[in-house]
Each structure stands twice: as structure tokens, then as C-alpha cells.
Amino acid sequence: MDKPTHINCLRFLVTEDHDFQRATMIRMLEGLGAQTVYAAADGRAALGILQDPSRPVDIIISDIEMPSMDGMEFVRHLAETGSRISIILVSALEPALLDSVATMSEVYGINLLGVVEKPLTPAKLLPLLGSYMPPAEPRPGNRTSGLTFTPDDVVQGMQNNEFEPFFQPKIDLATGQIKGAEALARWRHAKLGIVTPYAFIKPLEDNGLINELTWIILEKAAVLCQNWRATGVDATVSVNLSAKSLGDVTIADRATQIVCDQGVKPSHFVLEVTESAAATQDGNALETLARLRMKGFGLSIDDYGTGYSSMQQLSRIAFTELKIDQSFVIDAAKHESSRVILESSLEMARKLHITSVAEGIETEADFELLRQLRCDLAQGYFIARPMERTDYLKWARDYRAHETVAKV
Ligand code: C2E
Ligand code: CA
Ligand code: CA
């Protein structure tokens, strides 16, 4: 087996209470070319090493069952320090329990390379080391995390026409065809570059201004949709609708007007509402959803699996699409627990006779799994990231050209 060339540059910390196993792991790493390997007999000793600036560590390989501080407590303390070090957990626990430890680590925000069953072998270790990436530096053009804006800032940006949708394709898993694209709001900020939605959706929602953004995104999405249609492309555009908008019974008419003004029809659009909004008991919201559907808009249940709704609640509204939340899709091929949720969500979509979409497909393994589970549509970085309009159109043209070549 080839050794990744970078192993000799990486600094390891092995945390294992069992002397013989610890020595074996250290020997294995050294055999693979590692030059720097620190060792600790439990989580507490490991934290001591990590606090020592003279002993920097890139990857921790830790046992889960250890006396005094076990691997789970160790992960929690690591998360509390905001550490971005990568970690590989090793254990003799049963696979289902390893899955829940992996989920816990991810929820804690730990950079987990993987969880492996004992004994650790080079064959298990090397693919995980191959997936190691140094902690990312914040990118200057995309400095959006932690940013908050006042509603006035955002309104000013909207008046300056600085908001636009980026587009991310949705692909038919059975045929590979492009079936549509989701429009995702972006702020082309004069000083900060491209700002992503988490920084501006909430101030708009909290101040009753979110509809203004919806209209901008819908109108620009309608322009793109009209361009597609003019060239014979039969695909839909999905637009996100805030839960806060649903109480306004006038929005269905306004949305219809906006798309018709661009020469396209409501049936060329899918409006996405989160599962928690979809399970609403509010009369106005139910009226809005029914009217949108009556006008011909497709309706999607977004982030499905996070809102604890019942099939009975969801079947009251004529939804056309079920969009499974990315938390169940990312790495599903590695987690039995995610697969169970995927299977039951897909079964529910089939029972309701609605289209199923998996978002957050980042790897070929997850793409293949969703195809085998007969999910209808796929969306995610594995296919393409959200792109500005011109890049999207170019991407779609190239994709279709390859598709045609592949079929000939
Ligand atoms: P969402 O509707 O769940 O959109 C999917 C998010 O997942 C997008 O983030 C998208 O860029 C990201 N994503 C797509 N593929 C992958 C993948 O393979 N892996 C991972 N990790 N992420 C992936 P984005 O664009 O930052 O949008 C975040 C949220 O902001 C959206 O979540 C949606 O709730 C909201 N949003 C976006 N545009 C609008 C809008 O026009 N109106 C409203 N009300 N909300 C919007
Ligand atoms: Ca969405
Ligand atoms: Ca989602």
C-alpha cells in the first residue's frame, strides 16, 4: 500500500491506556514514516500535552474506553477549548455505539477524521490520514461567519441592488439529468465580498423585512428560469420561503405576479418551507400554503427530519417534494443510524407520492447510497456548489454536453 507522502510532516498524539496497544500504535505510525509521535495514557495527560505550545499536534489518535477521563469526555474538553485539531477515535465498542460517538463528536464541532474498530491497522489508518486537511484559514473574499448586520445595513444593500441568488443544481439520481436548481441568496457586499445568508436572514426576519428579500430572489430566479425556457430547458427553480412570510395571506398573489411578469409560470417554481413551518397550526399560514399550491407553485418540505412533524400533519398540505435535511445525508454511507432515517424518509415520500430530494451530498459514496435507496433527486457539493448565474449557466451547458457524449 502506498504511504501518503505527508505523514512525515504530521505530528501525532496517541492516547491509549493499554501500554502494549499504545506501543504498537506508536510503532505503526513510525513505520508509516511519522517523525513526531507523542503519547498519553489517558485524556487528562493528553490535554496536558495539547496545552504545551512546544509540542504542537496535528492529529490525535485516541482510544474511547480509558480510566479516569474517557475518550468522550476528552472530546468534550477538546471542543470546549475550540480546538481545530483532527482526531481519529479507536475502540472495541460495537459499531452502533461507535456511530453515536462519531455523531456526538461532530455535534461538538470536533474535526473527526473517523472512528475505527480495534485493532488499528495501517489499512484502516491510511485512508483516514489521506483525508487529513490542515485547519482552513478564513478566506478573505468570504468573511461571513460571525458577522451580523443591522436591518438598516441590509435594507441599504437591497436598495443598492447588492443581493442576488446563487444557483445549485438538482440532479435526477436515476438518469443524471438536471431537474432544477435551488436559488440561494447572496449579498455581494462592497467591502466584504460575498456574504452568505446566515448573516442577513435573521435581522430581516426579526424586523418584518424578509419578504423584500424573497421578492428580489424570486424575481431574479424568474429571469434565469425564463432564459432556460427560451432555450428549451425544462427545469424548475427552487426558492426558499421564510416561515415568517407564511402568515401574510397576500404573498401568494404577489409571488404569482412576480413570476408571470417575467413570462414564466408558478409551476416552474418550487417554494421551500422548513419542516417546522410546514407543520404549522396557524390558519393564515395554512391558507397561504394552500393558495400557493392552487396557483401552481410546487411546495417542498425543507430540512425534513429536524422538525418532529408527523405524517398526518404534513399530509394536510399538498406538498410536492420532501427535502431530507443534510445532517442525515452528509456521510450517510458511513453511519448506519443516518441510513435508517434516510430509508424511512424516502418511504414516507413514496407513500405521499411526492418527489424526494437529498441535499448535502458531498461524496461519491453518499451519492451512490442515495441512488441505491431510490431517492429521486440529489443536491450537494459532490455535484456542484452554489454558483453565480453566469457560472451556473456555463456549468449546466458543459454538464449537458458531457451527458450527450456519454449517451452516444
Ligand atoms: P437551505 O435551504 O437548507 O440551503 C442549503 C444550504 O446547504 C445552502 O447554504 C447550501 O449552500 C448548502 N449546501 C449545499 N450543498 C451542500 C453540501 O454538499 N454540503 C454542505 N455542508 N452544505 C451544502 P447557504 O446558501 O449558506 O444557505 C443557508 C440557508 O439560508 C438556507 O438553507 C436557507 O435556509 C437560507 N436561505 C438561503 N437563501 C434564502 C432566501 O432567499 N430566503 C430565505 N428566507 N432563506 C434563504
Ligand atoms: Ca432550501
Ligand atoms: Ca435544507
Side-chain angles (χ1 to χ4, degrees):
M1 191 176 309
D2 289 340
K3 293 176 192 174
T5 48
H6 64 286
I7 288 191
N8 53 358
C9 314
L10 295 173
R11 293 151 304 187
F12 293 89
L13 167 60
V14 171
T15 311
E16 164 67 65
D17 60 305
H18 196 286
D19 293 342
F20 177 73
Q21 291 183 11
R22 189 169 63 244
T24 310
M25 284 189 201
I26 294 170
R27 245 194 331 268
M28 187 191 307
L29 285 167
E30 288 173 347
L32 292 170
Q35 314 250 324
T36 311
V37 185
Y38 303 110
D42 68 8
R44 212 170 299 282
L47 288 174
I49 291 174
L50 293 172
Q51 276 156 12
D52 178 354
S54 70
R55 290 188 282 180
V57 171
D58 300 302
I59 299 182
I60 302 165
I61 301 180
S62 176
D63 187 15
I64 298 179
E65 294 156 288
M66 291 180 290
S68 99
M69 183 190 288
D70 66 23
M72 289 184 256
E73 190 181 347
F74 174 53
V75 163
R76 170 158 48 83
H77 287 301
L78 211 56
E80 281 163 3
T81 64
S83 172
R84 289 148 84 209
I85 296 176
S86 295
I87 186 163
I88 294 170
L89 294 169
V90 191
S91 173
L93 296 171
E94 56 176 296
L97 206 53
L98 292 185
D99 253 6
S100 46
V101 175
T103 310
M104 177 208 86
S105 308
E106 276 158 15
V107 169
Y108 275 138
I110 283 291
N111 193 10
L112 184 71
L113 293 181
V115 184
V116 288
E117 273 181 83
K118 281 187 178 178
L120 186 63
T121 60
K124 292 179 190 169
L125 188 58
L126 282 171
L128 300 181
L129 297 183
S131 67
Y132 169 79
M133 297 225 276
E137 296 300 326
R139 275 189 286 155
N142 201 9
R143 284 181 295 143
T144 57
S145 56
L147 278 182
T148 44
F149 296 94
T150 65
D152 287 347
D153 291 337
V154 188
V155 169
Q156 188 62 53
M158 289 199 286
Q159 282 166 357
N160 295 346
N161 193 23
E162 291 172 356
F163 284 82
E164 66 187 56
F166 271 32
F167 297 93
Q168 187 180 33
K170 283 160 73 181
I171 302 290
D172 187 317
L173 272 160
T175 65
Q177 278 178 340
I178 304 174
K179 285 288 172 175
E182 179 172 6
L184 293 154
R186 296 288 183 270
W187 184 356
R188 203 177 280 279
H189 194 284
K191 295 205 183 95
L192 300 168
I194 301 294
V195 178
T196 51
Y198 293 111
F200 54 81
I201 299 279
K202 196 162 178 335
L204 288 177
E205 285 185 337
D206 290 349
N207 291 279
L209 297 163
I210 190 68
N211 285 352
E212 301 317 309
L213 178 74
T214 310
W215 307 142
I216 291 170
I217 300 301
L218 185 63
E219 186 178 332
K220 292 189 177 179
V223 171
L224 180 87
C225 186
Q226 206 282 330
N227 292 347
W228 284 347
R229 302 258 150 202
T231 58
V233 174
D234 180 22
T236 57
V237 194
S238 300
V239 173
N240 292 283
L241 206 52
S242 164
K244 301 268 193 259
S245 301
L246 297 180
D248 178 349
V249 291
T250 67
I251 67 156
D253 289 329
R254 179 77 192 268
T256 307
Q257 189 66 49
I258 287 173
V259 302
C260 292
D261 283 350
Q262 299 306 324
V264 278
K265 296 184 192 153
S267 60
H268 301 148
F269 294 81
V270 178
L271 299 178
E272 299 190 358
V273 291
T274 58
E275 182 191 5
S276 43
T280 180
Q281 298 293 345
D282 177 71
N284 288 353
L286 289 168
E287 180 182 334
T288 299
L289 288 167
R291 184 168 300 115
L292 284 168
R293 189 68 201 100
M294 189 181 76
K295 298 280 185 192
F297 286 101
L299 287 180
S300 178
I301 306 166
D302 203 358
D303 302 345
Y304 179 72
T306 60
Y308 310 104
S309 60
S310 66
M311 184 161 166
Q312 186 256 339
Q313 270 172 321
L314 298 177
S315 62
R316 295 169 314 169
I317 300 159
F319 284 105
T320 55
E321 184 183 279
L322 184 80
K323 201 161 184 184
I324 303 168
D325 190 64
Q326 46 184 270
S327 57
F328 306 111
V329 176
I330 293 177
D331 274 347
K334 288 194 200 149
H335 298 304
E336 177 63 29
S337 49
S338 300
R339 206 146 48 223
V340 173
I341 295 169
L342 287 179
E343 279 171 9
S344 69
S345 308
L346 292 170
E347 191 186 310
M348 190 179 94
R350 280 191 280 270
K351 281 189 181 145
L352 292 171
H353 304 291
I354 61 179
T355 308
S356 50
V357 186
E359 69 172 12
I361 296 194
E362 293 187 352
T363 64
E364 187 169 7
D366 293 335
F367 184 87
E368 202 40 48
L369 173 70
L370 267 305
R371 208 173 56 77
Q372 279 165 16
L373 294 176
R374 292 185 297 125
C375 178
D376 297 319
L377 306 181
Q379 181 181 342
Y381 296 165
F382 177 64
I383 300 149
R385 290 189 175 247
M387 293 166 273
E388 62 179 282
R389 185 177 162 278
T390 47
D391 289 345
Y392 175 83
L393 289 170
K394 183 176 177 312
W395 178 89
R397 219 176 20 247
D398 291 350
Y399 183 93
R400 288 199 178 92
H402 280 103
E403 219 184 17
T404 318
V405 172
K407 274 190 199 138
V408 178

